Amino acid sequence: MLLSRKASIELIAVFAGGFLGGGLRFLFGYLPMIGHWPITTIIINWTGCLALAYLGAWMAKHTAVPHLWQTFIGTGILGGYTTFSTMILQVYQQGLLSGFLYLVATIFGGWFMVELGQWLVCRSGEQHV
């Protein structure tokens, strides 16, 4: 299967962004653990939710910005940075009660970060998406 020139450029943008996001995720792994929960993973998922929500809302208002930037940042950097599959494995490893609490904290914290990202765009004078 041959990709079009546009698709090839987008693929390169995703690879480059994934390289940066994955590298950043790797570096977060050097932070010390706090207690038994993998707090680093929660922080990565929350900040990933915040950044992706902000990016989406911002791009919806700034249509003149090339779509390639959304692909590079959203799919590439943030896709490489967030760790959903890691989170699910860690939920499983926590045991029933602790895993459930960890999952609830991650999901509702992520939801809050999405709301915060939308609010930040609105606060900066942009219209809510």
Side-chain angles (χ1 to χ4, degrees):
M1 172 179 94
L2 293 174
L3 296 175
S4 68
R5 184 173 188 278
K6 180 182 176 194
S8 296
I9 291 170
E10 285 183 321
L11 181 61
I12 291 168
V14 170
F15 278 134
F19 172 80
L20 295 173
L24 184 59
R25 165 68 183 101
F26 174 78
L27 292 175
F28 264 91
Y30 283 101
L31 294 176
M33 288 288 291
I34 302 170
H36 295 290
W37 275 18
I39 294 296
T40 302
T41 302
I42 289 177
I43 291 169
I44 288 168
N45 285 328
W46 284 356
T47 57
C49 287
L50 171 64
L52 194 57
Y54 188 92
L55 174 68
W58 191 87
M59 290 292 290
K61 297 307 297 172
H62 296 86
T63 56
V65 177
H67 176 73
L68 188 60
W69 281 105
Q70 184 170 5
T71 303
F72 172 69
I73 298 169
T75 306
I77 293 175
L78 295 175
Y81 171 70
T82 58
T83 56
F84 188 77
S85 58
T86 301
M87 182 206 57
I88 293 300
L89 178 61
Q90 291 170 339
V91 165
Y92 177 78
Q93 293 169 339
Q94 291 291 316
L96 189 58
L97 180 58
S98 185
F100 175 77
L101 294 173
Y102 174 59
L103 184 62
V104 168
T106 301
I107 290 170
F108 284 101
W111 186 292
F112 173 77
M113 290 298 179
V114 166
E115 289 291 331
L116 179 59
Q118 296 287 319
W119 180 80
L120 287 171
V121 170
C122 291
R123 187 167 185 256
S124 68
E126 302 294 337
Q127 190 176 27
H128 187 72
V129 179

